[in-house]
Amino acid sequence: MKKTIALILIILMLITACENKPNVPDNNNQDEYSAEDYFPVVENTKYSYQGEGNEFASYTVYIDYISNNRFQTRTNNGGTETIKVYEFKDNQLTELYSRGETYFREDFTNREFQEGSVVLKPPYTGELKQIVTQHGNFDAIEVTTESGNGTITNYYAKDVGLVKSIFKSGTSEVSSTLADVEQNMPLIQTVALYYPDLDGIHLNSVDVQISFNTNDSAKDVIEKTVKDMSVYELFSINTKINELYFNEKDESVYIDLSKNFIEEMNAGAGYESMILQSIANTLGSYYGVENIYLTIDGSLYESGHISMEENEPLKVDYSVVK
């Protein structure tokens, strides 16, 4: 229930403002700036917001990926994590995509999207509002949007970005105000790494912290993490993850390994089966899926002990975990 409430709040605070054309007060003309000026994108930066009026109004934002004129953010309000893809185009900022309950790392910036919702579009006219925050005081443009859910007012400061949001619905008011901006801050996540027990019929697990800088891929970070935990012998030193991605259409994960994985495994049929189950459980736990499709250099998995058919997945199975 908490995750559902948290997701709804993120939608209201961060999406509602994009559902309709922003209404900027037209009082006194100000110098015009680009959308990038009011929504700067800085890699390896963590934005923290202090909330009032709801337990999920406080949240943090990371920049996951920056790709040409697009970027992807990750918002965590303690109840859920939501990723968003934005695009700078025609001197305006547009939100192209939003996905809640996304606790794994995946680059969505290069995917195809329908027409998005405008977040910022010059000219920015009207009086600048002074916004007081823990991070400093800012002169900000005010963007107000009304919808059936209520009214949301966002304040954007030049060279800083969003400094405050106020959502009003009836007599209730929820606000989020910028508290801190920390640079050179990687995203830290925890992954459960599964590995075969010495008895050869069970799996054990260990929680491992993994660190992502902006534009780091899950493929590279997970490969390094597994190899660093070499005592558990899931990958040989020469094994490479050629490809690793989440398929949103079938809610499954696809991983392609180099042939070194099989050639250097040196395991009997039973132990090989447990290694494959370890991979399935590790990826299944991290991505929150049930099916893992494994291939070797683009071909079906086939060793001296185990052969997999086309479209046959590895199934996540936690019943074998001690």
Side-chain angles (χ1 to χ4, degrees):
M1 175 63 77
K2 280 193 172 184
K3 289 184 178 179
T4 302
I5 295 173
L7 181 57
I8 291 174
L9 183 63
I10 283 184
I11 292 173
L12 292 177
M13 295 294 291
L14 301 179
I15 296 179
T16 304
C18 309
E19 292 178 347
N20 302 300
K21 183 178 180 180
N23 178 25
V24 182
D26 189 10
N27 297 320
N28 300 315
N29 290 331
Q30 304 290 340
D31 292 338
E32 292 185 11
Y33 298 100
S34 67
E36 290 93 333
D37 290 323
Y38 285 104
F39 210 116
V41 182
V42 184
E43 63 181 12
N44 303 324
T45 301
K46 176 184 177 181
Y47 301 85
S48 299
Y49 292 83
Q50 182 65 43
E52 294 184 1
N54 187 283
E55 63 177 312
F56 300 114
S58 296
Y59 61 89
T60 60
V61 179
Y62 281 92
I63 306 297
D64 275 357
Y65 294 98
I66 303 173
S67 178
N68 297 320
N69 60 331
R70 291 183 178 182
F71 64 96
Q72 179 176 309
T73 64
R74 174 177 301 273
T75 301
N76 185 337
N77 68 355
T80 188
E81 292 188 29
T82 299
I83 63 99
K84 289 177 176 289
V85 176
Y86 295 90
E87 181 179 56
F88 289 115
K89 188 177 182 180
D90 299 327
N91 199 26
Q92 68 185 29
L93 177 64
T94 302
E95 180 190 313
L96 298 177
Y97 178 74
S98 177
R99 188 179 194 278
E101 300 288 333
T102 308
Y103 304 101
F104 55 88
R105 183 77 164 216
E106 181 81 9
D107 186 358
F108 290 90
T109 60
N110 294 321
R111 304 193 180 189
E112 296 292 330
F113 302 109
Q114 300 296 323
E115 183 178 351
S117 303
V118 175
V119 177
L120 287 173
K121 180 179 181 180
Y124 308 116
T125 58
E127 289 185 1
L128 294 177
K129 306 292 184 179
Q130 187 175 68
I131 304 299
V132 178
T133 78
Q134 295 180 26
H135 190 63
N137 300 339
F138 303 97
D139 291 327
I141 60 172
E142 179 185 86
V143 180
T144 300
T145 300
E146 295 183 0
S147 73
N149 295 318
T151 301
I152 187 166
T153 303
N154 289 331
Y155 296 91
Y156 299 91
K158 184 176 178 293
D159 299 326
V160 179
L162 181 67
V163 292
K164 188 166 186 174
S165 295
I166 301 176
F167 175 73
K168 295 182 179 180
S169 180
T171 59
S172 65
E173 179 176 309
V174 178
S175 66
S176 301
T177 306
L178 183 66
D180 198 10
V181 178
E182 302 170 85
Q183 296 183 343
N184 300 316
M185 290 289 292
L187 172 70
I188 306 298
Q189 295 185 323
T190 300
V191 59
L193 177 64
Y194 291 84
Y195 60 95
D197 187 78
L198 292 178
D199 64 13
I201 56 175
H202 293 96
L203 300 184
N204 293 322
S205 70
V206 57
D207 287 341
V208 181
Q209 282 196 331
I210 54 178
S211 176
F212 290 97
N213 288 312
T214 299
N215 286 343
D216 280 349
S217 69
K219 175 179 76 69
D220 296 334
V221 173
I222 290 178
E223 178 184 312
K224 181 179 184 302
T225 300
V226 172
K227 287 183 177 180
D228 286 347
M229 305 294 288
S230 59
V231 65
Y232 304 118
E233 298 181 352
L234 290 184
F235 291 170
S236 67
I237 192 64
N238 295 315
T239 297
K240 299 291 184 183
I241 299 180
N242 299 321
E243 193 172 27
L244 174 64
Y245 66 93
F246 168 76
N247 188 323
E248 196 168 18
K249 291 182 179 180
D250 61 9
E251 293 286 322
S252 300
V253 167
Y254 291 74
I255 181 171
D256 184 68
L257 300 176
S258 66
K259 62 182 179 181
N260 309 88
F261 175 70
I262 292 177
E263 293 176 347
E264 301 174 8
M265 185 181 297
N266 191 26
Y271 200 81
E272 178 179 346
S273 176
M274 299 309 293
I275 289 177
L276 296 184
Q277 192 63 60
S278 297
I279 293 174
N281 285 12
T282 297
L283 295 179
S285 173
Y286 179 64
Y287 285 92
V289 300
E290 296 295 327
N291 295 325
I292 310 297
Y293 290 89
L294 171 64
T295 53
I296 301 296
D297 285 336
S299 299
L300 296 177
Y301 184 93
E302 185 173 357
S303 68
H305 304 116
I306 299 174
S307 296
M308 302 190 68
E309 298 180 359
E310 189 172 0
N311 298 323
E312 179 187 358
L314 298 172
K315 291 283 188 178
V316 174
D317 183 4
Y318 299 114
S319 68
V320 296
V321 180
K322 273 192 173 181

